Amino acid sequence: MNFLEERIIKDGVVKEGNILKVDSFLNHQLDVELFDQMGAEWAKRFEGVEINKILTIEASGIGIACVAARHFNVPVVFAKKSQSVNLDGEMYTAEVESFTHKNKNNVIVSKKFLNENDKVLIIDDFLANGCALQGLISIINSAGASVAGIGIAIEKGFQSGGQIIRNLGYKLESLAIVDGMDPETGKINFRN
Ligand code: 5GP
């Protein structure tokens, strides 16, 4: 087991509805030391890949992306969530269905902060069905930028997102892949 898997076993809570609660270290209270270890691990896994920007999505991705960015020496841009369609021509927008909140948000990134020269590493906390990632990829494509890779903290491997994203050919590095979890017993199985 790696450091993140160990932490999930120690402090993660399995909830009904395929939700893994990790708010004591990843989603509410933030363990910055752990984020630093995660950043170092992604830097190792993406060694030799040209990356000049990190893109994440508010809110939970921001802290992780900022600490990881110290290992890549690049700026972080986060996609903002808005309730209404933004018709301002200066924004890239994509519609994203929220797994946890079950609503749809338009996520937006200003055209000022993403362009065709950017080689973007996407960072996020969870990968479930892949909607958040597909929204971010669509924004990167709209900008004419390229996706250099994707770093996820926790992938729920029993949901479809990971397979969809890998089948599209992206280099996806999830630090922990949960292949099964049981809300009754609290047991969590990781992929080897
Ligand atoms: P997806 O778009 O891949 O379906 O879901 C990813 C987003 O939903 C993540 O950014 C994360 O915020 C949230 N999410 C999905 N599954 C979980 C989960 O089991 N626990 C938590 N805390 N967040 C989740």
Side-chain angles (χ1 to χ4, degrees):
M1 252 197 291
N2 72 24
F3 64 96
L4 183 59
E5 293 166 337
E6 280 170 7
R7 187 59 179 271
I8 294 166
I9 293 292
K10 182 168 164 274
D11 292 328
V13 181
V14 181
K15 308 292 266 189
E16 292 289 343
N18 285 334
I19 292 285
L20 177 61
K21 208 159 185 228
V22 288
D23 58 352
S24 66
F25 61 97
L26 200 81
N27 285 147
H28 195 7
Q29 176 169 257
L30 309 179
D31 184 336
V32 177
E33 193 63 42
L34 181 82
F35 289 8
D36 192 55
Q37 264 182 293
M38 289 160 49
E41 181 61 28
W42 280 316
K44 208 158 54 176
R45 296 190 189 194
F46 289 103
E47 201 176 353
V49 179
E50 203 185 332
I51 288 162
N52 73 330
K53 198 162 278 182
I54 288 178
L55 178 67
T56 187
I57 182 164
E58 68 178 356
S60 298
I62 298 175
I64 300 167
C66 286
V67 179
R70 298 300 302 265
H71 294 268
F72 291 88
N73 296 312
V74 298
V76 173
V77 175
F78 69 90
K80 299 186 176 215
K81 291 174 183 164
S82 74
Q83 297 302 326
S84 61
V85 178
N86 194 312
L87 296 174
D88 185 334
E90 298 308 307
M91 306 280 177
Y92 300 114
T93 70
E95 195 177 71
V96 168
E97 187 167 351
S98 165
F99 181 83
T100 37
H101 298 107
K102 308 287 176 216
N103 61 351
K104 283 186 181 172
N105 281 305
N106 281 290
V107 296
I108 59 176
V109 172
S110 167
K111 288 191 175 177
K112 280 188 292 193
F113 305 124
L114 209 52
N115 65 57
E116 66 274 12
N117 299 317
D118 285 326
K119 296 171 175 49
V120 184
L121 174 65
I122 300 174
I123 295 277
D124 204 6
D125 59 343
F126 270 92
L127 171 55
N129 293 322
C131 298
L133 279 187
Q134 301 226 40
L136 294 177
I137 291 168
S138 141
I139 282 177
I140 291 169
N141 289 338
S142 305
S146 56
V147 179
I150 301 168
I152 294 291
I154 307 172
E155 174 181 336
K156 290 186 292 179
F158 54 89
Q159 290 176 284
S160 59
Q163 197 177 349
I164 292 169
I165 296 294
R166 287 190 182 90
N167 285 347
L168 289 169
Y170 295 107
K171 179 172 166 57
L172 167 62
E173 291 291 342
S174 303
L175 302 184
I177 303 181
V178 175
D179 266 343
M181 54 188 204
D182 185 345
E184 303 265 297
T185 61
K187 195 164 164 30
I188 300 168
N189 292 322
F190 294 105
R191 192 172 298 175
N192 282 322

